[in-house]
Amino acid sequence: MIQVLLVDDHAGFRAGLRTLLSTAEDIEVADEVSSGEQALAVVGRLQPDVVLMDLTMPGMGGVAATGRLVRDHPHIRVVVLSMSDDDDSVFAAVRAGARGYVLKGARRAELVRAVQAAADGEAIFGPAIAARLVGYFTERERAPAGQGPALPELTRREREVLGLMAERLTNPQIAARLGLSHKTVRNHVSAVFTKLQVNDRAEAITRARRAGL
């Protein structure tokens, strides 16, 4: 049996996750905790095969907890299960040592496969995250030698949003094009303004065109 530790600060979500995983014949939930600190406190005793780790929790977040856990228990595999699909979250988790990244809301088969693959020593990512990783490395390969992507201070998603802004798309139109919520697009637009130190869309579009987006 694959022993799994659930780490998430929402009790209702943990309960649903436990029920979902119980339908797999080769997976058993060994325990569940609500914070990174609690995960580190029990993992030595439990010695689970896989830890399903949320990223955003009170106290120690999932990235820091993953880094500590992988450092102290390198044989235990961490799979991130998060709502966050932005570049910063994905790459921070990978750099910390996560062996997988699946979005909350993934289908049962996808989540079970992620747990099984991690237990077998594989690195596995949900389709949306895999596409993000492929896009990131493709972008790097296409960049001229010695140069990174245009406006490197922006994440890949923020560059996508800025590019669509430069095409004069409104926030609702950008949300529809990228399959994001209106709130998520607003957050990305705000991040673009902050990182580029501009005051409005017109200034942001000017920066985008100068950068070749």
Side-chain angles (χ1 to χ4, degrees):
M1 295 290 287
I2 300 171
Q3 298 294 312
V4 178
L5 172 64
L6 309 181
V7 186
D8 194 289
D9 60 323
H10 294 286
F13 181 78
R14 294 198 310 270
L17 192 56
R18 178 186 284 271
T19 299
L20 184 151
L21 293 175
S22 69
T23 63
E25 295 181 354
D26 59 344
I27 297 176
E28 181 179 26
V29 176
D31 204 350
E32 57 182 71
V33 295
S34 60
S35 69
E37 292 91 342
Q38 291 177 3
L40 295 176
V42 304
V43 73
R45 170 178 57 83
L46 291 176
Q47 290 295 306
D49 301 296
V50 177
V51 175
L52 282 178
M53 180 79 72
D54 188 18
L55 288 186
T56 307
M57 297 176 288
M60 181 183 290
V63 171
T66 295
R68 287 273 304 276
L69 195 155
V70 170
R71 183 194 69 189
D72 297 340
H73 307 276
H75 58 288
I76 297 176
R77 314 297 185 182
V78 177
V79 174
V80 169
L81 184 59
S82 174
M83 291 290 293
S84 303
D85 69 342
D86 60 281
D87 288 358
D88 291 343
S89 297
V90 173
F91 288 105
V94 172
R95 284 193 295 267
R99 296 299 297 269
Y101 199 116
V102 179
L103 295 179
K104 289 182 177 179
R107 294 176 300 172
R108 172 194 173 280
E110 181 183 333
L111 184 56
V112 169
R113 170 61 182 150
V115 171
Q116 294 169 335
D120 287 338
E122 300 176 32
I124 190 165
F125 300 89
I129 301 303
R132 179 67 56 82
L133 292 171
V134 170
Y136 172 81
F137 288 109
T138 299
E139 187 175 67
R140 286 179 62 89
E141 288 175 1
R142 289 176 177 171
Q147 297 183 20
L151 301 176
E153 63 267 46
L154 302 183
T155 66
R156 180 172 177 268
R157 179 65 85 185
E158 288 164 356
R159 285 193 294 275
E160 288 177 339
V161 169
L162 178 56
L164 294 176
M165 288 167 57
E167 294 181 22
R168 302 295 182 180
L169 270 64
T170 64
N171 283 6
Q173 290 171 328
I174 293 172
R177 178 77 66 86
L178 298 179
L180 302 174
S181 69
H182 291 185
K183 180 180 179 181
T184 298
V185 171
R186 286 198 303 271
N187 290 341
H188 285 314
V189 170
S190 178
V192 168
F193 287 178
T194 300
K195 291 181 179 181
L196 297 185
Q197 298 182 347
V198 298
N199 297 315
D200 54 34
R201 296 174 83 91
E203 289 185 38
I205 290 170
T206 298
R207 288 288 304 276
R209 290 177 174 167
R210 287 175 180 171
L213 289 180

